[in-house]
Amino acid sequence: MEMKGSDIVVECLLEQGVDTVFGYPGGTILEIYDSLYKYQDKINHILTSHEQGASHAADGYARATGKVGVCLATSGPGATNLVTGIATAQMDSIPLVAITANQAVSLLGKDSFQEVDIAGVTMPITKHNFIVKKIEDLAPTIRKAFQIAKEGRPGAVLVDITKDVTIKKGDYKPQVPEVIERRSYTYPTETIKKAIQMIEKSERPFVFVGGGAIAAGASEELKEFVEKIDAPVADSLMGKGAYDGTNPRYTGMLGMHGTKTSNLGVSRCDLLIVVGARFSDRVTGNTAKFARNAKIIHIDVDAAEINKNVAVDLGIVGDAKSILGALNLLLAQQNHPQWLKEIRGLKEQFPLTYNPDILTGPYVIEQIEAMTDSNAIICTEVGQNQMWAAQYYHFRRPRQLITSGGLGTMGYGLGASMGAKYGKPDQVVFNIAGDGCFRMNLNELATASRYNVPIIQVVLNNHVLGMVRQWQTLFYDKRYSATILNDKVDFCKVAEGLGCKAIRVTKKEEVLPAIQEAIDYNGPIVIECIIQEDDKVFPMVAPGAPIDEVFDENDISE
């Protein structure tokens, strides 16, 4: 059948099972928005306050559901405002399709009004991108974009469509989306046999899991594997929930702000099995001294990650779910009672601690966990708030923690929490923020109130850029350059002015009632918690140091 290009765009989105998109209109994308108006009973468009909020909302939707998130923007500044969100998704391997519209083909390259080469801008931060200049290419390109975003290692894809293509009419034939089969990797049988031999020889195995295990849907296979090799488990920030954080085998996060148990355990193990993690510098510390007593098996879907940051003894390229399944079939039950006893001893010797006498970020996180029985979706911003959430909330399942890992995007969490709530409307959704992050994109509270999205925004307000100040305290002789935020901004009044309910908490005994009120309230609500400016995230590894040189406040005082 013949239809306008803009209608073809929406029909293709419906083909792909898209039910919600996030965006902001403008001149060149008006035809697509006119089609969205016609299709409003079939597809839900959420008008955000800023295009960056739209990209983060699409990202949060994707992380919460495992489906492809979709955002829309017009040309020029609309498109460039998506850049941070696109890069955030790509760094964390999140399936995202960003659709932008550009000037007509005849106006490209002429510095036309709001013309930007957004494909050129985003080339380094996307898995792939397209410019559609012909109506006959439109539907195949959108279909291909979704396929690329989902298959293999997921990622962000940009589709830039010239305005004349959205206006022209072309032939459209409905098409059932191509099923993205779990890719079959032909890793040699000898590779699996070698892995089993390494596991059977090991006396102190340790499993480190990253976000790739979540993307692969490998949690059940991972649980069985860990039990079979009788090992402790640590995770990266992106791997939270791949393994149940309430399981006694779980030792906490690994790396710069990982637990002493995880950092020391990985440093003492004789075999480290890494599942779907990319050895980020925040995990490894000094790579030359990382897991220096261990042989390393690295399982990853992306061959480029093998030996990229850390040299490994055995790399297995493929789908984590399939590889773990193959190992589970062939492995005999292993037993390492002495090793697990040593790990339990480390957990008892080095628990996470904070000052119990004052209102702190960790205390707030623990109360949120208690009130939600470890079952809420927790979104975060970046910095101390993020690390406290990762340390003190025990994630039981995949897709519970929604956070910017690789790019470390301040201002990410509020938009992402709205996307998560649209993706999982029956789940309680919190966004944990510091005041520095919150002020970056707090305009999205207006979006939450417009649509009455019942998200719970917690602001841990210490009136400073907490993580940067922590570094300035520890490594810059307390030269607090541009990190003090002790100004006259009243977040509660701002929240109320943007249509949300607000509660200010200044004492420990006020925390639980505020959380209960927020959970019971059917709408967006902000809880501002006033904490001390010099609360710090511990444990910590100094930049460039090996992870076994992890320290806390007691070590500093000694």
Side-chain angles (χ1 to χ4, degrees):
M1 70 186 84
E2 190 177 67
M3 62 175 60
K4 282 174 59 176
S6 58
D7 290 340
I8 291 174
V9 171
V10 182
E11 286 285 354
C12 286
L13 293 178
L14 292 171
E15 272 183 12
Q16 298 295 326
V18 175
D19 52 28
T20 304
V21 297
F22 306 88
Y24 205 97
T28 60
I29 204 169
L30 270 178
E31 292 291 333
I32 292 176
Y33 270 82
D34 192 51
S35 293
L36 285 169
Y37 183 85
K38 290 186 289 185
Y39 285 81
Q40 61 186 291
D41 61 329
K42 295 181 179 179
I43 197 163
N44 188 22
H45 176 272
I46 305 302
L47 174 64
T48 55
S49 298
H50 189 281
E51 291 91 351
Q52 185 176 339
S55 62
H56 293 329
D59 175 303
Y61 178 95
R63 294 188 201 229
T65 63
K67 299 193 290 185
V68 178
V70 180
C71 57
L72 309 173
T74 195
S75 62
T80 58
N81 281 344
L82 294 178
V83 166
T84 298
I86 292 170
T88 300
Q90 177 65 12
M91 282 284 279
D92 289 343
S93 302
I94 304 304
L96 180 84
V97 170
I99 297 174
T100 56
N102 216 324
Q103 289 290 353
V105 171
S106 62
L107 294 174
L108 293 179
K110 297 182 179 180
D111 292 333
S112 304
F113 179 66
Q114 291 190 333
E115 181 202 350
V116 162
D117 177 13
I118 193 62
V121 169
T122 60
M123 188 175 293
I125 58 166
T126 52
K127 189 177 178 184
H128 197 81
N129 62 27
F130 300 91
I131 306 174
V132 182
K133 298 179 180 179
K134 297 178 181 179
I135 185 69
E136 56 266 29
D137 294 336
L138 183 55
T141 299
I142 293 175
R143 290 165 182 154
K144 188 67 175 176
F146 275 82
Q147 181 182 7
I148 291 171
K150 289 185 286 188
E151 69 180 357
R153 180 177 182 173
V157 180
L158 176 105
V159 181
D160 191 36
I161 308 166
T162 59
K163 185 170 183 176
D164 48 334
V165 170
T166 69
I167 296 171
K168 289 178 182 177
K169 289 191 175 182
D171 188 46
Y172 168 73
K173 294 179 181 178
Q175 186 172 306
V176 176
E178 183 178 340
V179 176
I180 306 298
E181 299 288 352
R182 193 169 294 279
R183 193 186 294 180
S184 177
Y185 294 84
T186 55
Y187 38 83
T189 305
E190 298 79 48
T191 305
I192 297 296
K193 287 182 178 178
K194 184 177 179 182
I196 290 173
Q197 288 170 359
M198 293 170 71
I199 292 167
E200 289 175 343
K201 287 181 181 178
S202 170
E203 295 180 357
R204 300 186 306 279
F206 207 112
V207 176
F208 171 52
V209 59
I214 294 174
S219 289
E220 288 302 315
E221 290 78 7
L222 176 67
K223 181 181 178 182
E224 182 182 347
F225 178 72
V226 168
E227 296 292 331
K228 273 208 163 182
I229 68 171
D230 199 27
V233 185
D235 54 21
S236 69
L237 184 66
M238 299 309 303
K240 290 285 175 187
Y243 190 82
D244 184 353
T246 65
N247 191 297
R249 294 182 182 273
Y250 179 69
T251 62
M253 192 165 60
L254 180 69
M256 179 173 281
H257 291 292
T259 63
K260 283 191 172 185
T261 302
S262 292
N263 286 6
L264 295 174
V266 166
S267 300
R268 296 177 186 178
C269 73
D270 64 4
L271 177 66
L272 180 63
I273 303 159
V274 181
V275 182
R278 57 185 178 82
F279 294 108
S280 159
D281 57 294
R282 288 298 174 101
V283 162
T284 63
N286 184 333
T287 54
K289 297 181 179 180
F290 177 75
R292 54 189 177 274
N293 297 311
K295 293 188 178 299
I296 301 175
I297 298 173
H298 187 188
I299 299 168
D300 204 281
V301 75
D302 188 349
E305 294 297 340
I306 308 295
N307 293 315
K308 184 178 83 174
N309 294 329
V310 170
V312 302
D313 298 275
L314 179 64
I316 310 177
V317 178
D319 175 75
K321 186 181 182 76
S322 300
I323 293 169
L324 291 175
L327 290 169
N328 289 338
L329 282 174
L330 297 173
L331 267 170
Q333 180 64 49
Q334 308 295 301
N335 294 287
H336 305 103
Q338 287 303 118
W339 173 231
L340 290 178
K341 182 179 179 181
E342 182 178 340
I343 294 296
R344 285 195 299 271
L346 289 174
K347 290 175 74 171
E348 292 168 6
Q349 184 180 358
F350 301 117
L352 292 172
T353 59
Y354 59 87
N355 187 342
D357 299 324
I358 58 173
L359 177 60
T360 64
Y363 178 80
V364 174
I365 303 297
E366 284 190 335
Q367 301 316 300
I368 292 172
E369 178 175 62
M371 291 293 287
T372 60
D373 194 26
S374 304
N375 277 312
I377 289 178
I378 304 294
C379 304
T380 81
E381 301 293 346
V382 170
Q384 289 181 322
N385 64 88
Q386 180 186 40
M387 293 297 100
W388 284 327
Q391 289 175 333
Y392 287 92
Y393 200 98
H394 296 87
F395 298 92
R396 291 184 169 183
R397 64 182 187 279
R399 306 193 181 282
Q400 263 190 281
L401 176 63
I402 294 176
T403 191
S404 171
L407 198 64
T409 305
M410 293 175 68
Y412 164 83
L414 180 52
S417 67
M418 290 192 297
K421 189 65 180 179
Y422 274 102
K424 294 290 183 180
D426 296 331
Q427 294 189 24
V428 176
V429 177
F430 284 80
N431 182 47
I432 312 297
D435 50 315
C437 294
F438 180 57
R439 66 177 63 211
M440 284 193 168
N441 282 331
L442 58 76
N443 53 345
E444 294 304 337
L445 289 178
T447 309
S449 66
R450 179 187 302 121
Y451 295 102
N452 197 40
V453 187
I455 54 169
I456 302 170
Q457 170 68 62
V458 176
V459 183
L460 303 175
N461 188 355
N462 54 8
H463 296 96
V464 294
L465 296 177
M467 187 61 84
V468 185
R469 181 185 177 90
Q470 178 167 330
W471 280 51
Q472 288 172 335
T473 301
L474 296 173
F475 309 119
Y476 290 86
D477 290 330
K478 300 184 180 181
R479 294 188 295 275
Y480 299 126
S481 175
T483 51
I484 297 172
L485 306 177
N486 196 13
D487 49 30
K488 298 180 181 179
V489 176
D490 186 324
F491 288 133
C492 287
K493 287 183 178 178
V494 170
E496 290 168 349
L498 291 173
C500 300
K501 188 171 183 175
I503 305 170
R504 179 173 288 115
V505 170
T506 60
K507 301 173 184 176
K508 288 179 67 177
E509 56 266 28
E510 296 171 344
V511 173
L512 276 176
I515 296 170
Q516 186 63 64
E517 184 176 346
I519 292 172
D520 293 340
Y521 181 65
N522 188 31
I525 185 168
V526 174
I527 304 174
E528 181 188 21
C529 301
I530 308 300
I531 64 173
Q532 292 192 356
E533 63 183 13
D534 278 317
D535 276 0
K536 293 180 177 63
V537 178
F538 286 115
M540 184 176 185
V541 177
I547 59 170
D548 57 352
E549 292 182 11
V550 58
F551 65 91
D552 56 24
E553 280 187 298
N554 292 330
D555 298 315
I556 292 173
S557 63
E558 291 171 4

